[in-house]
């Protein structure tokens, strides 16, 4: 996976996750004073999941099915490399289901423009290969149903909110009055995670021309989405890369990197939080009062399972600060939450927090078209620096970043 991250542009070179350090005291049994030369390591410990976002849909009437003439809407986020896969049963069959081609409905043009309007041509009708027309069991590969015009039976319409990078897909049952009139069962949908070069799952739900699986079989034969929902829940989650980390040794009570509740000072934090570029802040801090040393760990994005390290020098009375980008965001960064004695060692992960720099409008992490991950630039905003809240299901700091001083 590391090679895929290295393909990102120089502006995206810092796509990563970050972490904060806070002060240590005598009760911290895993820390002890050391002197002079030491190292600090930042490790990306996030567990990659196939899907960044997933969910289900059903009819709104007394029965959960979507009858001819009825519609249902799905809201989801995505960036230009991502697509939407969905599946729902063709109810008037033994084992047919609607879904798109792999890896899903294309949502953006190659230049990053959102695709909107009628995208019904994306839907296909599939034979699951597990029941024949008489309902007897068979064992055939999944294949397209011949001689049935799926877009005549199902209309798909896309709307897009550019600020949030959120789509709304409206599915309408237009099979009424046709030779293939049918209800649609409850269905499932998912957006595959993107790591900077490719989707983590390019064949979600099923593989054409191969035998089916229990999850899609339950949908195709009974319209039952329970097994697929369990599988999707286990395979869905926000992941991220980390940028190179800036490490600062300083004297004084003021963290030179950021100040919670205050506006970004323009010294270079914005460039780290939006693009993972540490150069501007590194140069700005050279003339900052009390700075004793500035170090950079890593020179490329840090994918899950990888780590970066730098050596530094510190004397009694020195403090340490560090910062790295939560790469799959618009303007988030990890940093130490309170002052930390630079002469301690041990695991500092619990001392780290995730912050919003307040310089770019947020979008769903790993699924926002203005994020550097997708080659975008965040829409500007002017807000104070704050801790990231619970709007998105972001993993805890300890499940993304491990910071260790030796």
């Amino acid at each position: 996976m590391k090679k895929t991250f290295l393909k990102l542009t120089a502006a995206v070179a810092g796509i990563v996750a970050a972490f904060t350090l806070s002060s240590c005291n005598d009760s911290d049994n895993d820390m002890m004073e050391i002197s002079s030369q030491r190292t600090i390591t930042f490790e990306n410990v996030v567990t990659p999941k196939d899907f960044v976002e997933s969910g289900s849909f059903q009819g709104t009437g007394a029965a959960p099915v979507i009858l001819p003439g009825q519609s249902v809407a799905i809201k989801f986020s995505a960036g230009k490399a991502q697509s939407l896969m969905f599946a729902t049963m063709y109810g008037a069959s033994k084992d047919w289901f609607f879904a798109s081609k792999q890896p899903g409905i294309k949502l953006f043009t190659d230049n990053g423009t959102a695709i909107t309007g009628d995208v019904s041509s994306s839907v296909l009708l599939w034979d699951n290969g597990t029941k024949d027309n008489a309902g007897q069991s068979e064992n055939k590969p999944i294949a397209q149903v011949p001689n049935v015009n799926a877009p005549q039976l199902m209309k798909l319409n896309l709307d897009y909110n550019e600020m949030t990078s959120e789509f709304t897909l409206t599915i309408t049952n237009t099979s009424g009055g046709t030779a293939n009139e049918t209800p649609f069962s409850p269905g499932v949908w998912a957006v595959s995670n993107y790591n900077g070069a490719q989707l983590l799952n390019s064949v979600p739900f099923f593989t054409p021309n191969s035998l089916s699986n229990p999850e899609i079989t339950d949908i195709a034969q009974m319209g039952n989405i329970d097994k697929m929902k369990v599988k999707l829940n286990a395979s869905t989650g926000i992941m991220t890369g980390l940028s190179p980390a800036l490490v600062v040794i300083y004297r004084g009570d003021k963290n030179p990197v950021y100040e919670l509740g205050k506006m970004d000072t323009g010294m270079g934090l914005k460039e780290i939080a939006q693009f993972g570029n540490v150069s501007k802040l590194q140069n700005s801090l050279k003339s900052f009062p009390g700075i004793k040393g500035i170090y950079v760990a890593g020179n490329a994005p840090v994918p899950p399972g990888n780590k970066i390290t730098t050596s530094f020098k510190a004397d009694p009375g020195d403090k340490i600060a560090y910062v790295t980008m939560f790469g799959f965001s618009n303007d988030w960064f990890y940093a130490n939450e309170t002052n930390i004695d630079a002469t301690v060692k041990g695991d500092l992960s619990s001392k780290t927090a995730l912050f919003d720099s307040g310089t770019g409008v947020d979008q769903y992490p790993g699924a926002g078209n203005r994020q550097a991950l997708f080659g975008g630039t965040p829409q500007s905003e002017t807000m104070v620096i704050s801790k990231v809240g619970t709007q998105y299901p972001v993993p805890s700091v300890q499940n993304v970043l491990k910071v260790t001083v030796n």
Side-chain angles (χ1 to χ4, degrees), residues 305-366:
N306 287 253
K307 63 180 68 174
I308 51 177
T309 299
T310 186
S311 298
F312 66 92
K313 291 183 178 181
D315 298 314
D318 291 346
K319 294 174 183 175
I320 187 170
Y322 56 85
V323 58
T324 180
M325 180 191 181
F326 184 102
F328 292 5
S329 72
N330 295 75
D331 67 336
W332 294 355
F333 65 94
Y334 288 105
N336 50 299
E337 192 169 3
T338 59
N339 292 337
I340 297 177
D341 187 335
T343 63
V344 300
K345 70 175 183 179
D347 188 343
L348 302 178
S349 307
S350 64
K351 305 296 185 176
T352 301
L354 181 59
F355 297 91
D356 186 330
S357 73
T359 59
V361 176
D362 290 338
Q363 297 172 329
Y364 199 98

Side-chain angles (χ1 to χ4, degrees), residues 109-145:
T109 63
D110 292 341
N111 66 5
T113 301
I115 295 172
T116 59
D118 192 337
V119 293
S120 304
S121 60
S122 298
V123 69
L124 299 172
L125 186 59
W126 302 87
D127 184 335
N128 195 54
T130 51
K131 295 279 187 179
D132 62 21
N133 290 335
Q136 299 299 309
S137 296
E138 61 180 7
N139 193 34
K140 294 182 178 180
I142 295 174
Q144 288 187 51
V145 175

Side-chain angles (χ1 to χ4, degrees), residues 131-277:
K131 295 279 187 179
D132 62 21
N133 290 335
Q136 299 299 309
S137 296
E138 61 180 7
N139 193 34
K140 294 182 178 180
I142 295 174
Q144 288 187 51
V145 175
N147 305 316
V148 178
N149 183 7
Q152 185 182 32
L153 310 179
M154 176 183 287
K155 181 180 179 181
L156 303 177
N157 189 83
L158 277 176
D159 289 318
Y160 181 63
N161 183 321
E162 183 175 1
M163 178 177 290
T164 61
S165 199
E166 185 179 61
F167 286 89
T168 300
L169 175 69
T170 302
I171 301 173
T172 303
N173 187 333
T174 54
S175 68
T178 72
N180 298 99
E181 184 169 335
T182 181
F184 305 155
S185 75
V188 290
W189 60 269
V191 177
S192 293
N193 254 316
Y194 178 68
N195 67 9
Q198 62 187 25
L199 297 174
L200 268 61
N201 191 331
S202 59
V203 284
F205 297 4
F206 68 96
T207 303
N209 304 314
S210 297
L211 295 178
S212 190
N213 55 67
E215 295 81 16
I216 205 71
T217 294
D218 272 13
I219 294 175
Q221 292 185 174
M222 301 177 289
N224 188 326
I225 62 175
D226 291 345
K227 287 182 181 177
M228 185 64 85
K229 285 173 64 177
V230 170
K231 185 174 183 179
L232 287 178
N233 286 339
S235 303
T236 300
I238 293 171
M239 57 174 276
T240 187
L242 299 176
S243 71
L246 189 69
V247 179
V248 184
I249 305 302
Y250 68 101
R251 288 290 179 102
D253 295 327
K254 184 177 180 181
N255 188 319
V257 173
Y258 77 98
E259 190 172 357
L260 190 65
K262 297 294 182 67
M263 308 290 289
D264 174 60
T265 60
M267 294 178 61
L269 179 62
K270 171 184 174 181
E271 284 69 22
I272 296 176
Q274 292 192 6
F275 303 106
N277 189 333

Side-chain angles (χ1 to χ4, degrees), residues 45-161:
V45 296
V46 72
T47 300
K49 299 292 185 79
D50 279 354
F51 307 107
V52 65
E53 199 176 7
S54 63
S56 60
F57 59 90
Q58 63 180 45
T60 57
V65 297
I66 304 165
L67 299 172
Q70 294 182 338
S71 298
V72 64
I74 304 167
K75 290 186 181 293
F76 61 95
S77 298
K80 74 174 183 179
Q82 293 169 307
S83 53
L84 175 78
M85 178 54 97
F86 76 95
T88 178
M89 181 188 182
Y90 177 105
S93 73
K94 304 300 182 183
D95 69 339
W96 292 359
F97 66 95
F98 291 98
S100 74
K101 293 180 180 179
Q102 303 289 7
I105 299 171
K106 187 173 183 179
L107 304 170
F108 293 89
T109 63
D110 292 341
N111 66 5
T113 301
I115 295 172
T116 59
D118 192 337
V119 293
S120 304
S121 60
S122 298
V123 69
L124 299 172
L125 186 59
W126 302 87
D127 184 335
N128 195 54
T130 51
K131 295 279 187 179
D132 62 21
N133 290 335
Q136 299 299 309
S137 296
E138 61 180 7
N139 193 34
K140 294 182 178 180
I142 295 174
Q144 288 187 51
V145 175
N147 305 316
V148 178
N149 183 7
Q152 185 182 32
L153 310 179
M154 176 183 287
K155 181 180 179 181
L156 303 177
N157 189 83
L158 277 176
D159 289 318
Y160 181 63
N161 183 321

